[in-house]
Amino acid sequence: MGETKPESAVVDNKLEPKLGPLMLWGLGVGYVISGMYFGWNLGLAEGGTLGLAIATFFIIIMYVTFTFSYTELACAIPKAGGAFDYANRALGKNLGFLTGMAQNIEFIFAPPAIAAAIGAYFHIFFPAIDTLLIALAAYIIFTSLNIVGVRAAATFELVITILAVVELLIFAGVTLPAFEFKNLQANSLPNGFQGIFAALPFAIWFFLAIEGVANVAEEARNPQRSILIGFGSAIFTLVVLCVLTFVSSVGVAGWEAIVFPEGSTTASDSPLPLALGKIVGNEHILYHLLITVGLFGLVASFHGIILAAGRSTFEFGRVGYVPKALGRVHPKTGTPANALVVNMGIGILALLTGKTGEIITIACFGALTLYILSMITFFVLRKNEPDLKRPFRVPLYPLFPATALVIATIAFVAITWYNPMLALVYFGLLIIAYIWFKLTYKES
């Protein structure tokens, strides 16, 4: 039985500050690291090695400039709603709601895609167990862990994130000796330059949800210092791992080898085992080690984004933009249990569609909307609230936030152009949610 919280904590629906810089690094890397283990390889089918590489180059620039800009916002306004709280303050309730909805869509739609990959990796070991059952079990287990308490959840996240990072380094150590430059050149731009734009969602998947660190700012000890250290070290770690994983995977046997299993035309959700299998075979201990620890990488992101999504939905409920029951903390664990359970239900519905690539793209629509509106928020707050206490100020202002804004806008237009039906689904979700908000929200 968990310790009962003081009544004030229940009445005020406050989240308790328990996290330091190391925990925030673990969360930041953990949110994202599954993107190294799966999903990004689907961009190779769209753009080839060169197309995805060019897309990833610009996306890295976007994320580095965005992360430093977003850190300024997170340090100045350390609230659980992240981008929603910043936009609500700077742009008003209407755009604040849309920013928050975009964030919710990103954080709620990313876990189903990761759950599908957990099922695919696990299925390699236990082919008799249906991948969907594994994914559903993962949802129940890790939502429950998040309900138990944030410190337990963050500690678990830190441990499995470290294991996942070490495994990526081992993978690179095994595959780089087999690297051949000609494998990067083979059929490197199969769909021409338009493949660069088509590959953008999967380049974004390398880093999607790094901004979730801001959603636990309210639970950070000394948030201004902790967020700066945690955010900065996380983005540096992820850029290094992204480049290392990309080059070492494709360099083994070309991009087709880590997209399509031998004899199949269906894209794989487990590219790293395909690359490693080319070197050591499917029975080698390193192959099984990769699959085992690779599961930790997937679980780290799955579990971490569930944590961030719970805070995002919780903040929506706390201000009354969705039913206020979602904005309550559990009286014993102090966690947003109601929000976590509702998010799980929506995620399972998305999972049942079986459309991993499409789910990733919808999550990317939400992420890019968040990035665009967050950078607009950044400029508005700089202009309208120059005296706001900013313990961290972005370097090279206004270059960094402007660069993030421009690249995110171009990427959003490109993804919309190449995925018109998914764009309609995404905008439909926003419109329905906004109409519901206008009909139900009452000023307190």
Side-chain angles (χ1 to χ4, degrees):
M1 295 284 291
E3 183 183 351
T4 301
K5 304 296 173 195
E7 184 64 24
S8 61
V10 179
V11 173
D12 296 337
N13 289 316
K14 296 290 176 78
L15 298 166
E16 297 183 65
K18 296 182 177 181
L19 307 178
L22 181 61
M23 292 291 194
L24 293 178
W25 172 87
L27 288 170
V29 175
Y31 292 152
V32 177
I33 199 165
S34 70
M36 313 294 166
Y37 282 92
F38 91 106
W40 67 272
N41 64 311
L42 303 179
L44 292 167
E46 302 290 345
T49 307
L50 182 59
L52 182 59
I54 293 172
T56 302
F57 173 77
F58 285 102
I59 291 304
I60 286 174
I61 294 173
M62 181 189 79
Y63 271 100
V64 169
T65 54
F66 168 79
T67 298
F68 278 103
S69 305
Y70 203 65
T71 299
E72 178 175 315
L73 294 171
C75 289
I77 311 170
K79 300 275 299 278
F84 161 64
D85 281 310
Y86 319 148
N88 213 38
R89 178 168 178 160
L91 306 177
K93 287 183 168 54
N94 290 325
L95 285 175
F97 174 83
L98 291 175
T99 303
M101 266 312 297
Q103 179 175 247
N104 287 333
I105 289 171
E106 175 192 359
F107 288 165
I108 293 172
F109 276 80
I114 302 170
I118 290 173
Y121 267 73
F122 202 94
H123 188 72
I124 295 173
F125 272 137
F126 301 102
I129 303 178
D130 187 82
T131 56
L132 181 59
L133 289 178
I134 298 166
L136 292 173
Y139 252 113
I140 294 168
I141 291 168
F142 294 108
T143 298
S144 300
L145 179 59
N146 270 283
I147 291 172
V148 166
V150 68
R151 186 165 182 82
T155 302
F156 174 80
E157 183 79 0
L158 177 62
V159 172
I160 59 175
T161 296
I162 291 171
L163 287 171
V165 170
V166 169
E167 176 58 21
L168 285 176
L169 296 176
I170 293 172
F171 170 79
V174 174
T175 53
L176 282 176
F179 171 86
E180 293 187 36
F181 189 73
K182 67 179 183 180
N183 290 329
L184 298 184
Q185 297 175 301
N187 195 22
S188 63
L189 200 64
N191 298 314
F193 284 100
Q194 67 177 11
I196 298 170
F197 296 101
L200 279 170
F202 308 101
I204 291 169
W205 188 249
F206 267 126
F207 300 96
L208 186 98
I210 177 66
E211 68 276 10
V213 172
N215 293 83
V216 293
E218 197 172 331
E219 296 162 275
R221 299 190 304 269
N222 188 1
Q224 286 76 17
R225 175 180 178 273
S226 297
I227 291 169
L228 174 59
I229 296 172
F231 236 151
S233 58
I235 193 66
F236 175 77
T237 302
L238 291 164
V239 169
V240 171
L241 291 175
C242 167
V243 174
L244 199 58
T245 303
F246 187 108
V247 172
S248 61
S249 298
V250 180
V252 169
W255 68 261
E256 289 99 336
I258 59 167
V259 175
F260 303 110
E262 194 169 338
S264 174
T265 57
T266 303
S268 172
D269 279 338
S270 51
L272 303 196
L274 291 179
L276 198 61
K278 297 289 182 183
I279 300 171
V280 300
N282 295 353
E283 302 301 325
H284 196 279
I285 187 172
L286 283 173
Y287 180 83
H288 293 291
L289 178 67
L290 173 73
I291 296 171
T292 304
V293 185
L295 276 168
F296 287 131
L298 299 175
V299 166
S301 292
F302 182 66
H303 168 261
I305 298 174
I306 286 174
L307 187 151
R311 273 68 189 164
S312 176
T313 304
F314 162 80
E315 187 69 2
F316 246 36
R318 188 160 60 172
V319 299
Y321 283 15
V322 293
K324 289 195 173 182
L326 298 180
R328 296 188 187 129
V329 296
H330 192 282
K332 292 184 177 179
T333 65
T335 55
N338 294 344
L340 288 163
V341 171
V342 169
N343 287 350
M344 177 180 70
I346 298 170
I348 287 174
L349 290 176
L351 173 67
L352 293 175
T353 67
K355 307 278 189 183
T356 303
E358 288 85 346
I359 293 170
I360 288 174
T361 302
I362 290 175
C364 288
F365 272 117
L368 288 169
T369 303
L370 182 153
Y371 303 156
I372 291 166
L373 291 173
S374 293
M375 292 304 92
I376 293 171
T377 293
F378 180 97
F379 285 113
V380 170
L381 284 174
R382 275 289 187 107
K383 179 182 178 182
N384 294 346
E385 297 191 44
D387 297 327
L388 177 66
K389 186 178 178 182
R390 293 174 170 87
F392 171 78
R393 298 176 77 91
V394 66
L396 300 178
Y397 174 83
L399 179 63
F400 267 35
T403 299
L405 177 59
V406 169
I407 295 177
T409 302
I410 292 171
F412 187 90
V413 171
I415 292 176
T416 301
W417 179 263
Y418 285 98
N419 300 276
M421 293 307 299
L422 292 177
L424 286 175
V425 171
Y426 172 69
F427 286 120
L429 290 172
L430 283 183
I431 291 168
I432 291 169
Y434 183 72
I435 292 171
W436 183 88
F437 163 69
K438 296 302 287 185
L439 291 175
T440 61
Y441 177 69
K442 295 179 176 59
E443 295 277 358
S444 56

